[in-house]
Amino acid sequence: MHYSTEPMSDSVPSRKKRRPSVKMILLIWILLIALGVTAAYLYSNHLKDSMIVQMNLEIQTRTEAMKTDYTTQLSALSAEIQELNSKVEAFNELLTFTKDNSSNKTDNSNKLYSQLNEVKEQLAALQKKMDLLK
């Protein structure tokens, strides 16, 4: 075996050449961090957009349900008001007929007036409910 004190030949790379440089490692770390931050930002935007779409769909379905409920209640109140209006007209005709046919001795018209007042009160209450729904 031959031992020598001379430096080794160039065929074996030195320790410095085998290691990656510090600049290269820092650059790779910075790129990885930048990619992670960018991916997190894009993913959060994607989640936000999907949540907005989901909330809009839910709001639309609730709004449609409220519209149908409101329409149903309004039509029911309108039917009740029409019914009460017809009753009021019938009482008015009956009252007019009774006034024309009554004599000074009998006073049955007071009962009709009280019934007419009750119907008018009910009609006013329904009108207030309808105004509140509008």
Side-chain angles (χ1 to χ4, degrees):
M1 244 192 163
H2 185 282
Y3 293 106
S4 105
T5 56
E6 295 179 12
M8 291 182 77
S9 64
D10 286 337
S11 63
V12 177
S14 70
R15 189 175 259 199
K16 239 184 186 183
K17 289 184 181 178
R18 282 189 279 172
R19 280 193 199 167
S21 69
V22 174
K23 289 180 184 179
M24 185 61 81
I25 292 175
L26 286 177
L27 180 65
I28 290 172
W29 273 106
I30 290 172
L31 285 174
L32 286 174
I33 291 171
L35 285 174
V37 168
T38 304
Y41 176 75
L42 292 175
Y43 184 68
S44 67
N45 280 345
H46 170 70
L47 285 179
K48 180 179 72 170
D49 292 341
S50 67
M51 286 175 61
I52 288 173
V53 167
Q54 192 176 25
M55 288 176 68
N56 282 338
L57 288 175
E58 187 176 334
I59 288 172
Q60 281 181 340
T61 56
R62 285 186 182 182
T63 304
E64 290 299 321
M66 287 175 60
K67 280 182 184 179
T68 56
D69 186 43
Y70 173 76
T71 304
T72 305
Q73 287 180 0
L74 194 59
S75 63
L77 283 176
S78 294
E80 286 184 40
I81 287 175
Q82 291 297 331
E83 182 182 336
L84 284 176
N85 276 335
S86 66
K87 285 182 181 180
V88 167
E89 291 299 320
F91 281 133
N92 278 337
E93 290 175 7
L94 186 60
L95 186 60
T96 304
F97 177 76
T98 305
K99 271 186 171 181
D100 291 342
N101 292 331
S102 68
S103 65
N104 290 338
K105 294 180 183 178
T106 61
D107 194 14
N108 291 332
S109 60
N110 284 339
K111 292 180 184 177
L112 291 176
Y113 277 122
S114 63
Q115 288 177 350
L116 182 62
N117 284 335
E118 288 176 12
V119 170
K120 283 184 180 180
E121 288 173 4
Q122 288 178 353
L123 183 62
L126 281 175
Q127 189 67 36
K128 285 180 184 178
K129 285 183 183 177
M130 191 169 179
D131 288 342
L132 287 176
L133 283 175
K134 289 180 182 179

